[in-house]
Every structure is written in C-alpha cells, then in structure tokens.
Amino acid sequence: MGSGEEASTAIIIGAGIGGLVAAVGLRRAGWSVTVLERAPVIAEVGAGLTLWPNAERALDTLGIEIRSRAVPTISRGSLRTPTGRWLRRSHPMDVGVLAMHRADLHDVLRKRLPETALHTDAEVVSVSPKGVVVCRCGGEENELTADLVVAADGVNSVTRRTLWSGDPVFQGRTVWRGVTPPGSVWPVEESLTLGRGVQAGVLPLPDERVYWFVTVNADRPNQSYADNRREALHRVGDWHHPIPALIATTPEDQVLHNDVVDIDPVPTFVNERVVLLGDAAHAMPPDLGQGACQAIEDAVVLAACLSSGDGLQKYDDLRRARVHPMAEAARASVRRTSNTGLLAHLTVAVTARMIPPSAWRNATAQWSDWSPPELPKGKNKHA
Ligand SMILES: Cc1cc2nc3c(=O)[nH]c(=O)nc-3n(C[C@H](O)[C@H](O)[C@H](O)COP(=O)(O)OP(=O)(O)OC[C@H]3O[C@@H](n4cnc5c(N)ncnc54)[C@H](O)[C@@H]3O)c2cc1C
C-alpha cells in the first residue's frame, strides 16, 4: 500500500482531532484520503485542550503550526483548596504544555485539508475488514471501498463495536466544561482546585478567554440536567474566585456536560484493512490530559509506518505498547482522586504540598517524553 503508481486510498471515519491529523498525515504519505463525518458541520465543542510536548512534536512533524493559537500552561501543576489556599504553584513555562481552544485546533487542521476530502452529514453505518464502508450520506446509503479504513470515530466507535467488541466503561465521574467570552473574567491564574470528590480547573486561553471544568463523582451515568450552568455552579458556587465568576459568565447553552468514560484495553488495533485510531482505540479518562495527544501520536505513527513500508503490524505494536500503560495510569488517577474519604483527601492535599514543581514535572515527563518517527518529505504536493 502507498507505493504504486495510483495513490492508495484511505477512508477516515470521523473528523475529530484524530481523524483530521490522520488525514493530514496520510496525504503527506501520498495517500488519497476521504474523511466521513456524521455531524452536519466539522467543528469542535466549546472547550479547551492541553497539548503536551509529545503532541506538539508530532504536529511539528506534519508542519502543523499551533503555537500562535495557544498559550503556555502548567496543567495540574498548580493546586489549590476550595478556599483558595495554594497547595503547589508552578510557572507556566515550567513544563512546556500548551493550552488552546479546541475550535482553534480544528480550524488549523481543517485548513490543511482540501474541502473535497471532507464529507459532512456522512454517517458510517457498517465497515467490513475488507475495506468496504457503508455510509448514509445526505439521506442516501452508499457503499465505498478503500485500501485502508481508519476508524477515528471516538469512544463510541461503531467500527470497534462491530469488528471488535467493547462498550465504553463509565468511570464514576461526570464533568461540566465551558469557555468564557473574551475578557469577561480576566486576568486569571491557572489552577486545579481539589475538593472531596469534586475538582475544578481554570486554564487561561488566548484572547483573554478562560477554559474551566468541574469534575464530580457520580454514582450512575447518563444523567441529564435542564440547566448545566446551574448544575456546575451548584457544585462549586462557593469556591474561591474566579471559579464561580467563570461559570456564571459562560452562556448557559455553551456549557458542556459529559460522563467520564474509557474503554478496556483492545488486544489489537488492526483488523485486516481496518485500523482503530484515537479514542476509538484507547479512550482514557482525561486525568493525564493525554487523550487527544495520543490520537495525534497515532496519526503520525500510522503515516510513518505506511510510508516506510513497515505496515499496519508495526503501527499496532508501537501504539499498543505506548497507550495501554497510559490508559491504565489515567484510570488509576481517577480511582485515587475520586476517593472522598477524609484520609484519602488529606493524603492527596498533603502530597501535593510536599511535591515540588520540579518533581511533579519529572513525573509528567514519563508520558510526554516521546519523539515522533521520521516522515519522508511530502509525496503529495498539496499535503
Ligand atoms: C473532559 C475532558 C477533557 C479532556 N481534556 C483533554 C486534554 O486536555 N488534552 C488531551 O489531549 N485530551 C483531552 N481529552 C481527551 C480528548 O478529548 C479525546 O481523546 C480526543 O478528542 C479524541 O479525539 P478522536 O478524534 O479520537 O475522537 P472524537 O473527538 O470523539 O471524534 C470522533 C469523531 O467521529 C465522528 N463519528 C462518530 N461516529 C461516526 C460515524 N459512525 N460516522 C461518521 N462519523 C462518526 C464524531 O462525530 C466525531 O467528530 C479530554 C476529554 C474529556 C472528556
């Protein structure tokens, strides 16, 4: 695949971060790419994202420039109590992590692809291991074939559920997220505030916007609320400034609510001509801030394995070895920080005080200390 006169063809299911980076990577490797996205428009939700140096390096390999749309951040490096007392305080440049609005990353990625490669309102309803994809496009069912199908269709992946197995696993948490309008609550200092069974994050974004999240223990999944902003405020409305102000200034219809789900380890990411990528392959709780970073790594490694001739087996081996320990660590972090017992809570708080920012930085480096494989210079003049 990828070396004949005619360009090899790939269908990518899903235009999330993983699917779009995969599209850029495969085009760079000389493939002809079609992205099928079920949503009527290709867009990301109104939330922020932290990108670790491993993802930044992977994007660099593809020439995807994000730094002008991002700001340095410390992601969990600065911790506070609900009254506002600092348990640990880091400097944003300490760890080389970036924060950006998800919509900005989507915008950057979309601009790297020709419009003809992207198809919205295109829901994939079945996939065969031979590379046959049935898609409901604009009310009609079409059958498409390709040399390779990349299933980047997220944690609820229809591809994984039909060709593999494995439903999402609820991790006993639910989360509200939002981004404030520019300048509405500014300036703010980044922090993660630890309550008992409740955490609230504050991350400055470019253009004086602020990404906030409130994570809460929950005993059952799929609970919905009439007013998500009110629910978030109900949990942390009496916490330190600026948490209540950030939530209050976010328009109610832009407050997001999701359960935290992941999947059990998938034994292989490859089934004949079909590969899993991103959350479809290895959704993990957001505690390490690595889910999207790993989708980006997947995409670059896939492009490298296909252009070097190493093939899908190598992709499978490399990626499972990398992501499975990380997903397990993210789950362990949920278990640790969800414990509402007073002793467990105090242990987290005391440990946070005792660990200096430098030791914390070293601990996080185990996940971000990764370099992407070499990619040949673009075979596709448009990539
Ligand atoms: C609260 C929270 C905070 C997070 N914070 C971070 C963070 O700071 N840093 C980080 O790296 N990660 C973070 N993550 C994880 C990150 O959001 C995901 O890992 C990442 O978005 C996965 O990207 P993806 O492209 O694999 O899947 P998705 O973003 O889920 O995209 C899948 C796409 O496929 C489409 N699709 C689905 N089914 C079909 C179908 N049948 N046909 C066609 N299209 C289909 C969907 O519409 C969607 O567009 C966080 C996650 C959560 C829940």
Side-chain angles (χ1 to χ4, degrees):
M1 283 190 255
S3 56
E5 284 285 295
E6 290 268 300
S8 297
T9 54
I11 291 173
I12 297 179
I13 309 172
I17 294 166
L20 292 177
V21 181
V24 175
L26 290 184
R27 278 174 48 76
R28 162 86 180 263
W31 287 61
S32 167
V33 173
T34 303
V35 181
L36 303 175
E37 167 57 51
R38 71 176 168 197
V41 285
I42 295 180
E44 249 298 353
V45 294
L49 186 72
T50 54
L51 288 175
W52 289 75
N54 50 313
E56 294 164 33
R57 286 181 214 114
L59 292 171
D60 285 345
T61 304
L62 296 174
I64 297 170
E65 201 285 308
I66 52 159
R67 288 182 182 82
S68 59
R69 311 281 294 262
V71 289
T73 189
I74 34 186
S75 182
R76 296 169 196 267
S78 288
L79 302 176
R80 302 181 84 166
T81 66
T83 59
R85 189 162 55 90
W86 291 96
L87 296 166
R88 182 172 68 208
R89 213 168 183 176
S90 297
H91 187 274
M93 294 310 284
D94 274 352
V95 284
V97 188
L98 296 176
M100 68 189 298
H101 199 299
R102 284 175 183 254
D104 291 342
L105 178 56
H106 251 72
D107 183 50
V108 169
L109 296 174
R110 263 200 334 266
K111 286 183 177 148
R112 289 293 305 269
L113 295 167
E115 278 189 15
T116 50
L118 301 175
H119 301 267
T120 51
D121 197 9
E123 180 175 16
V124 171
V125 289
S126 80
V127 182
S128 89
K130 304 287 177 214
V132 180
V133 170
V134 177
C135 172
R136 235 178 253 137
C137 310
E140 276 181 26
E141 232 166 64
N142 299 301
E143 194 174 276
L144 310 166
T145 52
D147 298 313
L148 176 72
V149 178
V150 179
D153 45 353
V155 63
N156 292 305
S157 169
V158 70
T159 320
R160 188 189 67 248
R161 285 165 166 216
T162 50
L163 295 188
W164 283 257
S165 63
D167 287 333
V169 182
F170 175 54
Q171 288 299 324
R173 269 192 184 168
T174 202
V175 52
W176 285 270
R177 290 178 285 172
V179 175
T180 57
S184 56
V185 183
W186 195 265
V188 298
E189 183 169 350
E190 181 180 349
S191 63
L192 176 68
T193 300
L194 306 174
R196 280 172 77 177
V198 185
Q199 302 183 345
V202 174
L203 281 96
L205 295 179
D207 305 324
E208 300 189 353
R209 294 169 295 178
V210 184
Y211 166 45
W212 59 265
F213 62 85
V214 175
T215 306
V216 177
N217 287 1
D219 49 12
R220 61 192 165 87
N222 303 323
Q223 299 186 62
S224 61
Y225 301 93
D227 182 337
N228 280 313
R229 182 173 62 184
R230 194 176 59 203
E231 289 300 324
L233 271 174
H234 173 60
R235 268 61 180 201
V236 293
D238 58 351
W239 285 22
H240 67 80
H241 180 76
I243 294 170
L246 296 172
I247 300 170
T249 53
T250 305
E252 197 282 320
D253 61 349
Q254 290 171 31
V255 176
L256 306 168
H257 175 233
N258 312 83
D259 290 329
V260 172
V261 290
D262 66 2
I263 57 172
D264 289 328
V266 177
T268 170
F269 293 165
V270 179
N271 186 338
E272 296 191 38
R273 288 172 182 262
V274 183
V275 296
L276 295 176
L277 183 144
D279 274 12
H282 47 67
M284 59 185 81
D287 285 47
L288 306 180
Q290 279 282 353
C293 298
Q294 292 310 303
I296 293 168
E297 283 190 18
D298 288 347
V300 171
V301 172
L302 179 64
C305 288
L306 292 173
S307 38
S308 65
D310 284 337
L312 299 180
Q313 188 57 50
K314 180 90 174 181
Y315 166 79
D316 195 16
D317 294 343
L318 287 173
R319 296 312 299 156
R320 281 184 299 111
R322 169 95 170 126
V323 297
H324 283 163
M326 207 178 292
E328 180 48 38
R331 256 191 196 181
S333 169
V334 174
R335 280 196 296 274
R336 210 171 40 249
T337 52
S338 301
N339 191 331
T340 51
L342 182 59
L343 187 61
H345 179 63
L346 287 177
T347 307
V348 170
V350 169
T351 315
R353 268 188 92 81
M354 283 167 45
I355 297 180
S358 57
W360 175 80
R361 184 179 56 224
N362 294 343
T364 59
Q366 68 172 306
W367 306 121
S368 59
D369 198 5
W370 176 90
S371 294
E374 290 272 312
L375 268 178
K377 228 176 150 32
K379 290 183 186 170
N380 185 332
K381 64 179 165 48
H382 302 296

